Amino acid sequence: SIENQNQFKGIFNGILGRKLDFAIDDSLLSQEIDKNSLYQEIFKLTQLINSNKTDLSLKKMGLRVSASSEELKNIIFKKDQQKIIIDNLSKEINMFKTQEKQIRDFEKEKEKIDKLNKLLINQDELNTYIYNNYPEYIELSSNQIMNLDSIFNLLKDDEALLYFVSDFSATLIVLITNNDIIVSRIELTSDEINSHINRIRESFDLTDVYSIRDIKPFPIESSQLLYKELIGNTLFEEVLTSKKHLFIVPNGIFYSLPFSALIDDKILTDEERNNYSNLPWLINKFSFSILPSIHSLKIFRSRYILESNSSLETFIGIGNPLFQDIEKIEEKEISFNQIFSKGRLADTSLISQFSQLPETQTELTMIAENFSKNNVQLYFQKEATESMIKNLNFKNTDVIAFSTH
């Protein structure tokens, strides 16, 4: 480990305590002979740091939901439920052992120990069954540490991967392409980043919104600051100009950051600030894939290669429903309370007064171009109704898209 080499002493200050105090000197990084080995070590360490309980539970939850086999779903659910019982039994047994002999209920204690042992045996049997019958799940759910060369081989020329580690002292950002790795350390702490994320998310909150006047303004400054620090910094800027797709591996607070809502940190005109559609949103510059872990890139990419010969073939698209009959009618303000005044179901007579959504038809038509014309069904205007949808047969449809805004 380069942590033990004299020339790198002090670089990883308290790394086991999860302190991101990488005092990386620019002059040190300019030594090409040491740079790659240093970054390899940093990359491995960041993966180890991020292997915490929260991230693992999120990964497992996602795997359970996305499991393709009903049998596997049930087994995973059973394992999770048994694990809760095992943990509770272990606590109860430990409590028994701390009691004085004269008050210990040895018979009840033995009963719980027997129950615990049976559950542990059953867990081993379930694990063996999964290992033998669902090897892909084992690979997906294992927290494997990836090396840089394997990531290089998985990325295309126009792709990059962003990986984050953050705590109370600083934030480390790792940018990987198919032939290089760049590491940026910024002074923003997890608390500071979380504060800006909360401002962005609060602007999306419609809890107390009853009309268009109640919608909170979008925090452009917070969005631009996060863009500048996390993605648009000078270290990354030149590399990302040739990239079209970003794989983002968030952790902790970054799970709640809507990356597509970040804004380029250029100086904005008054016209841009007053019209959100004119803002340089990050989603207009890159397409995104959010990954649960770095290792999942290998799984998803290999799965894509295996399934390339059995691509999706049939498509149903529903959008641009018939709202106002009169074109260019002045937009009418309708409060959310009015729409749901009859309870949980929306008032369709009010919804029918909404503005037309021709862009949704354009969007669906563009998506449909990826399919054979004979395998496409598009429903717009008078055909885009609840009764029509209820009468459709979706059984043999690969992709169903509702374009709503």
Side-chain angles (χ1 to χ4, degrees):
S1 168
I2 61 169
E3 189 178 1
N4 297 322
Q5 296 178 21
N6 290 332
Q7 66 266 41
F8 293 118
K9 272 189 177 177
I11 288 175
F12 303 107
N13 179 19
I15 192 69
L16 296 179
R18 303 200 173 187
K19 291 179 72 175
L20 283 177
D21 198 2
F22 295 108
I24 301 173
D25 193 296
D26 288 339
S27 61
L28 172 68
L29 296 184
S30 66
Q31 302 172 34
E32 287 295 327
I33 191 169
D34 295 319
K35 178 182 173 183
N36 289 336
S37 59
L38 172 64
Y39 280 3
Q40 279 274 13
E41 190 74 4
I42 290 175
F43 183 54
K44 289 179 181 178
L45 285 168
T46 55
Q47 290 180 77
L48 288 169
I49 292 171
N50 278 349
S51 298
N52 55 45
K53 291 180 179 178
T54 303
D55 294 325
L56 288 174
S57 64
L58 282 167
K59 279 166 58 181
K60 289 178 180 176
M61 181 176 67
L63 289 166
R64 186 168 67 240
V65 171
S66 62
S68 57
S69 165
E70 195 64 35
E71 181 190 45
L72 180 56
K73 283 183 184 178
N74 293 333
I75 292 173
I76 296 169
F77 179 76
K78 184 177 180 180
K79 270 171 51 65
D80 290 346
Q81 296 305 304
Q82 283 188 350
K83 183 66 170 61
I84 295 171
I85 298 171
I86 286 170
D87 290 343
N88 290 334
L89 281 172
S90 299
K91 289 176 184 177
E92 291 177 21
I93 291 168
N94 285 333
M95 286 180 62
F96 276 118
K97 291 179 178 179
T98 59
Q99 294 175 345
E100 297 290 337
K101 281 188 178 181
Q102 56 269 28
I103 61 170
R104 275 174 72 175
D105 188 336
F106 289 99
E107 188 175 333
K108 191 173 183 179
E109 185 178 334
K110 184 180 180 304
E111 181 184 319
K112 290 191 177 292
I113 291 172
D114 290 342
K115 184 178 180 180
L116 176 63
N117 288 332
K118 285 180 182 177
L119 286 170
L120 291 171
I121 291 170
N122 190 242
Q123 285 271 300
D124 288 339
E125 291 172 348
L126 291 173
N127 288 333
T128 302
Y129 184 82
I130 293 173
Y131 183 83
N132 291 330
N133 294 278
Y134 298 98
E136 187 185 44
Y137 170 77
I138 297 297
E139 188 176 13
L140 273 169
S141 59
S142 61
N143 185 38
Q144 297 183 24
I145 303 300
M146 300 284 288
N147 61 52
L148 274 176
D149 289 336
S150 60
I151 298 294
F152 291 159
N153 293 331
L154 290 170
L155 293 170
K156 298 176 183 177
D157 290 342
D158 61 351
E159 296 175 339
L161 183 145
L162 278 169
Y163 188 57
F164 303 91
V165 187
S166 185
D167 79 345
F168 62 87
S169 60
T171 297
L172 200 76
I173 310 153
V174 180
L175 175 68
I176 306 173
T177 65
N178 62 350
N179 58 14
D180 198 9
I181 176 173
I182 303 170
V183 178
S184 172
R185 179 187 185 276
I186 61 175
E187 298 299 321
L188 278 181
T189 66
S190 56
D191 286 344
E192 290 169 330
I193 291 172
N194 196 43
S195 174
H196 289 293
I197 291 174
N198 285 339
R199 288 192 196 113
I200 292 173
R201 295 191 68 86
E202 283 169 7
S203 70
F204 302 151
D205 185 7
L206 301 178
T207 304
D208 295 319
V209 173
Y210 303 103
S211 71
I212 196 167
R213 288 191 296 269
D214 298 327
I215 296 176
K216 299 172 185 174
F218 183 78
I220 293 174
E221 289 73 19
S222 287
S223 178
Q224 285 193 307
L225 185 144
L226 288 180
Y227 170 84
K228 180 181 178 181
E229 295 288 345
L230 302 178
I231 296 174
N233 65 65
T234 53
L235 285 174
F236 297 164
E237 201 168 25
E238 186 177 345
V239 175
L240 289 175
T241 53
S242 62
K243 307 305 174 189
K244 295 179 180 178
H245 189 87
L246 293 182
F247 290 101
I248 296 177
V249 184
N251 80 294
I253 57 172
F254 293 101
Y255 277 115
S256 59
L257 172 59
F259 286 90
S260 57
L262 297 184
I263 301 171
D264 193 306
D265 63 326
K266 72 168 190 172
I267 297 173
L268 301 173
T269 64
D270 290 339
E271 183 183 353
E272 287 174 319
R273 287 181 172 275
N274 294 328
N275 188 340
Y276 291 162
S277 64
N278 292 332
L279 290 173
W281 301 100
L282 195 62
I283 191 65
N284 294 329
K285 187 182 288 188
F286 305 104
S287 57
F288 294 95
S289 293
I290 307 297
L291 301 175
S293 68
I294 288 180
H295 178 242
S296 63
L297 175 61
K298 175 185 174 184
I299 305 300
F300 297 151
R301 186 125 287 176
S302 61
R303 181 180 290 178
Y304 171 78
I305 293 170
L306 288 171
E307 295 178 353
S308 59
N309 293 326
S310 58
S311 58
L312 303 172
E313 295 181 353
T314 53
F315 176 74
I316 290 180
I318 298 137
N320 192 18
L322 187 63
F323 288 145
Q324 299 166 339
D325 288 325
I326 305 172
E327 290 186 11
K328 298 181 181 179
I329 191 170
E330 185 179 348
E331 290 194 12
K332 182 178 179 180
E333 184 176 301
I334 304 172
S335 74
F336 288 93
N337 277 355
Q338 283 178 286
I339 294 172
F340 293 99
S341 61
K342 297 181 180 180
R344 295 178 65 183
L345 294 177
D347 187 336
T348 54
S349 63
L350 283 176
I351 290 178
S352 67
Q353 298 177 42
F354 283 178
S355 300
Q356 296 281 3
L357 297 171
E359 297 88 355
T360 62
Q361 183 167 335
T362 305
E363 179 182 66
L364 290 168
T365 304
M366 289 174 66
I367 296 172
E369 291 174 0
N370 295 287
F371 300 83
S372 168
K373 288 184 179 180
N374 295 330
N375 295 330
V376 170
Q377 298 178 57
L378 296 175
Y379 297 93
F380 306 127
Q381 293 287 283
K382 292 180 180 179
E383 291 184 331
T385 63
E386 183 179 353
S387 57
M388 172 66 79
I389 293 167
K390 286 181 176 179
N391 288 322
L392 291 176
N393 183 3
F394 295 106
K395 187 175 181 181
N396 297 316
T397 306
D398 295 321
V399 178
I400 304 167
F402 289 84
S403 185
T404 58
H405 63 281

